[in-house]
Amino acid sequence: MTVTLKDFYADWCGPCKTQDPILEELEEEWGDRVTFEKVDVDENQDVANEYQVRSIPTIVVENDDGVVERFVGVTQSEKLEDAFEEAGA
């Protein structure tokens, strides 16, 4: 099962900067089981629209079956780890 975290952000977004160190720490710990992708909503509006992103930061955890969990706003690592496990990582 492929598990992916998509981090929808923008360079001008203050809360996104707060989210970054949390995701960096998770990537160190889960990087062998979860693929981490950063999606700049200003440069990738089509992808943001596909995932119906209306606020940032938005984090989407998905697996081969589709979206498992979606988080809007700064999200702590415990909630993301739970989503990874639910997704099969």
Side-chain angles (χ1 to χ4, degrees), residues 1-72:
M1 181 76 63
T2 303
V3 178
T4 305
L5 176 146
K6 284 186 173 25
D7 170 25
F8 291 90
Y9 77 101
D11 289 334
W12 48 263
C13 167
C16 298
K17 294 180 188 336
T18 302
Q19 185 72 64
D20 281 344
I22 296 168
L23 294 178
E24 288 167 6
E25 185 177 303
L26 283 171
E27 188 168 10
E28 285 180 25
E29 194 174 324
W30 289 83
D32 58 333
R33 294 169 280 171
V34 177
T35 301
F36 287 73
E37 296 178 9
K38 292 186 73 64
V39 181
D40 184 329
V41 297
D42 291 331
E43 294 178 9
N44 300 285
Q45 291 178 0
D46 55 334
V47 178
N49 286 335
E50 178 185 337
Y51 283 87
Q52 300 175 350
V53 173
R54 302 290 172 254
S55 299
I56 52 175
T58 292
I59 295 173
V60 175
V61 177
E62 61 186 355
N63 63 18
D64 298 336
D65 297 329
V67 174
V68 174
E69 193 82 53
R70 169 187 206 91
F71 303 94
V72 178

